[in-house]
Amino acid sequence: MKLISWNVNGLRACLGKGFLDFFREADADVVCLQETKLQPHQIELDLPGYRQYWNSAEKKGYSGTALFTRIEPLQVTYGLGLPEYDTEGRVITAEFADFFLVCCYTPNAQRGLARLDFRMAWEDAFRAYLMDLDRRKPVVLCGDLNVAHTEIDLKNPKTNRGNAGFSDEERAKMTELLASGFTDTFRYLYPDVTGAYSWWSYLYHARDNNAGWRIDYFIVSDRLRAQVAESKILAQVMGSDHCPVELDLREAP
């Protein structure tokens, strides 16, 4: 099973930069998007063979997630079921026969960590949500989680320490999530690889210089590790300040 996750930083803009060409070439079973920045009625997306699910923010032009799948889910839910977190269109959960797939766009702590308190509360609520799902069947989590977990996950760790996405608090929450029974699939396969990033600032030719951050993930319940065939960062794909990431899962034995 081939799954793709991509923060498109505005789907309408990404459509003008080759999104549909990539989508067709990728030929994935499921594609999850973050930061769609639209309401479903604002776009007509022709994706033959795929069911489409959208979770848009109440605020127009902001946040939002989408999930396109060739495999019909058993059910699809939106948000965490907590009103304080469910107005920004950040989570879609699709239940399949063997696992839950959770598409997530984690809140940014913002400049000066202005939204760090909200982010910390979100992290605790989201981890509890994932652990509840995991008690029922394994979980595959994907999306822009807005944190570079370790120093090898960004180009300039020393100068970025304490900034949004690389604060000690955010990194500790990722450590806590992984310690709760989950595996970062890319680091599981490639524990020491450096220079592997999924987001680059539009400033200072960051992408040309590969001065990036790895903040887009596929994370799985530990008991799915044996089914992880590949976890890729598709850095050659343009169209956003993020690139897509891919997870290839073997069938359960």
Side-chain angles (χ1 to χ4, degrees), residues 19-242:
F19 174 84
L20 288 176
D21 290 336
F22 167 74
F23 187 92
R24 285 189 283 264
E25 290 168 14
D27 194 32
D29 296 296
V30 187
V31 175
C32 293
L33 305 182
Q34 303 86 44
E35 215 171 351
T36 52
K37 294 184 177 179
L38 52 76
Q39 309 294 316
H41 68 268
Q42 294 179 295
I43 193 170
E44 282 289 336
L45 202 56
D46 184 25
L47 304 175
Y50 288 83
R51 292 169 175 83
Q52 301 183 27
Y53 303 93
W54 301 83
N55 191 8
S56 299
E58 291 180 3
K59 179 181 175 182
K60 291 184 177 178
Y62 177 72
S63 187
T65 47
L67 188 152
F68 311 138
T69 175
R70 287 198 290 223
I71 304 162
E72 185 175 3
L74 302 177
Q75 68 170 343
V76 176
T77 58
Y78 303 93
L80 303 182
L82 299 169
E84 62 267 38
Y85 301 120
D86 289 347
T87 63
E88 297 182 351
R90 293 187 178 275
V91 176
I92 301 176
T93 302
E95 180 182 358
F96 295 102
D98 297 322
F99 60 87
F100 289 101
L101 175 61
V102 181
C103 170
C104 177
Y105 177 41
T106 298
N108 192 300
Q110 298 183 351
R111 186 180 300 276
L113 302 182
R115 211 183 188 197
L116 184 63
D117 289 347
F118 180 85
R119 168 68 178 265
M120 293 294 98
W122 161 280
E123 291 282 356
D124 291 339
F126 188 58
R127 186 177 64 258
Y129 175 76
L130 295 175
M131 291 174 69
D132 181 62
L133 293 178
D134 186 56
R135 282 188 279 270
R136 295 153 59 190
K137 63 175 67 172
V139 173
V140 176
L141 163 65
C142 69
D144 174 4
L145 304 187
N146 260 318
V147 62
H149 185 212
T150 68
E151 291 197 349
I152 61 171
D153 291 319
L154 72 168
K155 181 66 175 286
N156 298 304
K158 288 185 173 59
T159 55
N160 278 296
R161 185 173 178 187
N163 289 340
F166 199 60
S167 67
D168 292 349
E169 294 91 340
E170 292 164 295
R171 295 169 65 195
K173 290 297 184 186
M174 174 60 84
T175 298
E176 195 173 349
L177 172 63
L178 298 177
S180 299
F182 297 93
T183 295
D184 173 352
T185 59
F186 184 80
R187 283 291 168 227
Y188 173 65
L189 295 178
Y190 307 107
D192 303 314
V193 166
T194 59
Y197 309 127
S198 65
W199 173 79
W200 304 262
S201 168
Y202 281 131
L203 303 175
Y204 313 118
H205 303 285
R207 194 157 186 172
D208 293 340
N209 298 321
N210 198 29
W213 300 47
R214 188 177 73 93
I215 59 176
D216 300 87
Y217 294 81
F218 270 101
I219 288 172
V220 301
S221 295
D222 287 347
R223 60 193 185 280
L224 284 181
R225 281 179 183 173
Q227 291 175 240
V228 175
E230 182 60 281
S231 185
K232 302 178 184 177
I233 299 174
L234 307 179
Q236 77 280 5
V237 178
M238 310 299 283
S240 170
D241 52 349
H242 295 249

